[in-house]
Amino acid sequence: MRDLTLVAVLVLFAAGLAGVVFSQDRRKRVMALFFLQSSAVFLFVSLGYRQGGRPPLFTLMAEGGPMALPSAQAMATSFLILSSVTVALLLALAFFLPRREGTIRGERKGRSR
Amino acid sequence: MDWQSHLPVLLVALPLTGALVFPFFASGGRTIRRLGILLSAAVVLALTGLLWQKVATEGPLLYVVGGAAWNLPLPPGLSFPPRIVLFIDAFSVVGLGGPALLFLAGSFAWAGETQGDSRTEGLAGMFYLLAFASILAMTVTGDLLSLILFFGLFSLSLAGTTALSGRKQALEIAFEGLHFWAVFSVLALFGLALIYGRHNTVNMSALAGVLQFGLVEKVALGLIVALLLTRCGAFPVHFPLFDYLQEATPSTACLLIAGAQGGFYSLMRVLFSVYGSPLGSVPIGWGLIVSGAFAVFFGLALPLLNRPLRMLPAFVFLVQVGTALIGIGAGLACLGDVRAMADFGMTALRGGVAQVVLAFPASALLCLASTSLLGDEETAGFSAVVRARLLLFFLFAGWLLAGLPPFVGFVPKLLLHESLFALNPVLGALSLAASIAMAALMTRAFYALSLSTKQSHRGLNRLPLGVLLSMGLLTTVFFVFSFLPVWMLSYVIDPAINALLDQGGFMMILRGGGM
């Protein structure tokens, strides 16, 4: 089961990385980023899995037994929320920019740095 | 119960709450919006001062968020803290001081800027407060996952603030920067997931006690350090911060530089406190030195050859980042060698930390002065009298950044010159040449700005009060520190370095070492 999860993480990561690196369209780059973010959270949550363990809840900690760290699991979910907001803002910018530039492609303008 | 026990969480919660309620009060009028931002900044600075005093008298502070008891990180029977722990020692206080000061300076500038209608201003204020709350949270948090989380929140808020600034390239820069930082955040999360999978904890103090420095830890370190270097603006991942600085309004410049200070704080915390002495035997210290040397070289060579004046603050800041990285890298390279650390490593580290504490706010002062001097296409220029006043601030900032006595800017440069020469004479020569080249660059820029008459006839006769107060605040702080360089080293920098290098104390904090 865990191996399957890791395969899913790998597939999501590869798809996301390919999109981020190779795509010129800003909107596709944003969606590829969302793939990357989801794969990272998926990996984080799945690595917390404990064979025969309890759900990661603070109230169950007193009963003992194997358990993933509840705060880390909760914060991984927070990261997912942050990812969604980041993607929303990036998409808003990606849709707004073409109105100004006349193209959806995101080549940099060659500003000197 | 003493309310001051809750200072660590109040420091983050107050600006965060301010950010969340800001859009609701934004329709109340321009004065309310400005007062809200200024009040938040003043409260944060006051809380930082209280924390400083508390840490100096009582030692490191610990705060468990959401637990039954705020001072019990390890409930009976557990070996790792189950909840998020906030941790503040002398190094954290120094890490908080710079951003808190820049928060107030930036808030004065924010109050003087025209943001647009009440809705836009409400959003801009929310992003602004959210960004500073994220920097403070990055500094006080005791676990790596929330560090990455707040890093992401900071990038998001920064992009929002920049996008709303109305500058010509702002939208494109906001998009590219946010996308870049988000990709690095994901990679760092992958690194942290590897550590979490192996050790079942993300708490920094707990990790410091269990990390074995195997392959997994090395990969994780690389990914997390890469993320933090992007926040610091280190070469070769400097360009988002570099682009943001070019298009920054005065308030956003303060925010960017405070963020870089937060990045440096987190970088040092991870390298020295979490990983610690095993890093002395691997070339990561030299990696930082090489990165810093390139930053110094390009940051000085390109503007000296010929670049628009608008890019000057970004280049100058790149040099300051490079110089700080060289000092910190030199300290890290000596970590495994007790004698080298005592001979020159400690001095280099003092120089690196002093550089972050002093030269970064000085860069903010330079940004404020040069942004006002150059103006932008939408605003009229200032009259000759006002330009002369601005040039005084510019000159003062340039003086500090070139490391010329009697002002306090010479302190980090002197420490770095003497220690880097002992580590490697080439580095010593580079460090000296960088100071001379910086003085030349500042002279050239001052010459160009003071002789420019392009806008002087158009004439606004009054400098916006917000920008004036912002520059005045930073100038006053530097003047005071200029009279107290030894005090500053003894009571600010040295306790911070001692706390940073005390990895044993950092590990013990969860087992009752904190107050």
Side-chain angles (χ1 to χ4, degrees), chain A:
Chain A
M1 182 67 189
R2 188 162 170 170
D3 291 345
L4 273 178
T5 318
L6 293 178
V7 169
V9 168
L10 205 62
V11 170
L12 275 174
F13 181 78
L17 195 64
V20 164
V21 172
F22 296 117
S23 181
Q24 293 272 334
D25 184 336
R26 287 198 184 95
R27 286 171 286 186
K28 286 182 185 164
R29 278 168 62 199
V30 175
M31 293 325 293
L33 172 69
F34 197 55
F35 272 45
L36 269 183
Q37 289 171 328
S38 304
S39 70
V41 176
F42 204 5
L43 177 69
F44 206 93
V45 172
S46 64
L47 285 178
Y49 176 72
R50 297 287 176 268
Q51 187 75 43
R54 296 168 175 280
L57 298 170
F58 286 111
T59 45
L60 296 179
M61 291 195 93
E63 296 175 18
M67 179 190 282
L69 191 67
S71 61
Q73 298 292 315
M75 291 202 5
T77 316
S78 308
F79 191 86
L80 203 56
I81 295 165
L82 180 71
S83 305
S84 310
V85 180
T86 303
V87 165
L89 180 60
L90 280 170
L91 276 178
L93 290 170
F95 276 93
F96 194 77
L97 271 165
R99 289 190 214 165
R100 182 175 287 192
E101 295 175 353
T103 173
I104 58 166
R105 296 173 75 79
E107 295 97 340
R108 313 270 340 232
K109 294 277 178 10
R111 280 192 308 277
S112 52
R113 37 174 88 93

Side-chain angles (χ1 to χ4, degrees), chain B residues 111-482:
Chain B
E113 288 165 10
T114 307
Q115 310 277 345
D117 58 17
S118 66
R119 189 165 165 270
T120 311
E121 210 163 85
L123 278 174
M126 182 194 73
F127 280 131
Y128 196 68
L129 289 173
L130 209 51
F132 269 106
S134 310
I135 297 171
L136 300 170
M138 279 162 64
T139 310
V140 299
T141 187
D143 78 59
L144 285 171
L145 185 52
S146 55
L147 177 74
I148 295 175
L149 196 69
F150 281 112
F151 179 95
L153 191 58
F154 175 70
S155 306
L156 178 77
S157 321
L158 190 57
T161 308
T162 305
L164 290 170
S165 72
R167 298 276 171 125
K168 208 163 77 177
Q169 299 278 350
L171 290 183
E172 189 196 350
I173 285 174
F175 177 89
E176 296 294 344
L178 180 57
H179 191 272
F180 183 84
W181 282 317
V183 170
F184 272 82
S185 292
V186 170
L187 295 179
L189 192 64
F190 265 100
L192 187 60
L194 297 178
I195 291 184
Y196 172 63
R198 173 167 285 191
H199 300 292
N200 196 28
T201 183
V202 286
N203 182 281
M204 291 189 204
S205 177
L207 281 174
V210 296
L211 281 182
Q212 298 295 321
F213 209 54
L215 180 64
V216 165
E217 286 82 0
K218 283 178 186 167
V219 171
L221 176 71
L223 295 171
I224 294 169
V225 165
L227 170 73
L228 296 174
L229 287 177
T230 63
R231 171 55 56 228
C232 299
F235 182 88
V237 282
H238 61 286
F239 44 88
L241 189 65
F242 192 87
D243 285 350
Y244 270 66
L245 264 176
Q246 282 182 59
E247 290 291 321
T249 58
S251 61
T252 316
C254 290
L255 178 58
L256 283 163
I257 291 171
Q261 277 189 319
F264 264 98
Y265 167 83
S266 307
L267 179 71
M268 283 188 271
R269 187 56 97 192
V270 169
L271 290 177
F272 288 91
S273 299
V274 178
Y275 277 82
S277 49
L279 293 184
S281 57
V282 293
I284 192 161
W286 279 98
L288 294 185
I289 291 172
V290 171
S291 161
F294 273 112
V296 170
F297 177 75
F298 287 118
L300 286 168
L302 292 179
L304 274 173
L305 287 174
N306 199 5
R307 281 290 187 277
L309 268 174
R310 185 172 292 283
M311 294 169 79
L312 179 80
F315 277 117
V316 169
F317 187 62
L318 183 62
V319 176
Q320 305 313 316
V321 168
T323 311
L325 272 180
I326 291 175
I328 292 160
L332 193 63
C334 299
L335 206 56
D337 184 343
V338 177
R339 184 160 179 192
M341 194 67 187
D343 285 349
F344 49 85
M346 187 73 109
T347 312
L349 201 53
R350 288 169 89 202
V353 173
Q355 173 76 6
V356 176
V357 170
L358 293 171
F360 282 29
S363 304
L365 181 59
L366 186 87
C367 283
L368 288 167
S370 58
T371 313
S372 304
L373 272 166
L374 293 167
D376 57 35
E377 286 159 11
E378 290 84 30
T379 61
F382 294 114
S383 69
V385 177
V386 176
R387 286 178 67 80
R389 286 180 197 149
L390 282 169
L391 277 167
L392 275 180
F393 286 111
F394 183 88
L395 185 66
F396 183 62
W399 202 293
L400 287 165
L401 290 168
L404 300 174
F407 300 121
V408 74
F410 77 92
V411 171
K413 305 290 189 291
L414 193 64
L415 291 168
L416 287 171
H417 294 334
E418 64 182 61
S419 56
L420 292 178
F421 187 80
L423 178 66
N424 188 318
V426 176
L427 280 179
L430 177 77
S431 169
L432 282 169
S435 283
I436 296 166
M438 179 58 78
L441 177 61
M442 284 299 151
T443 311
R444 189 179 163 191
F446 183 76
Y447 172 78
L449 285 168
S450 58
L451 289 188
S452 163
T453 54
K454 196 178 85 181
Q455 295 179 335
S456 60
H457 64 280
R458 285 204 267 161
L460 286 178
N461 285 318
R462 208 161 54 89
L463 192 61
L465 184 64
V467 178
L468 186 65
L469 284 173
S470 177
M471 290 190 292
L473 174 71
L474 291 174
T475 307
T476 309
V477 170
F478 279 118
F479 257 115
V480 172
F481 276 160
S482 295

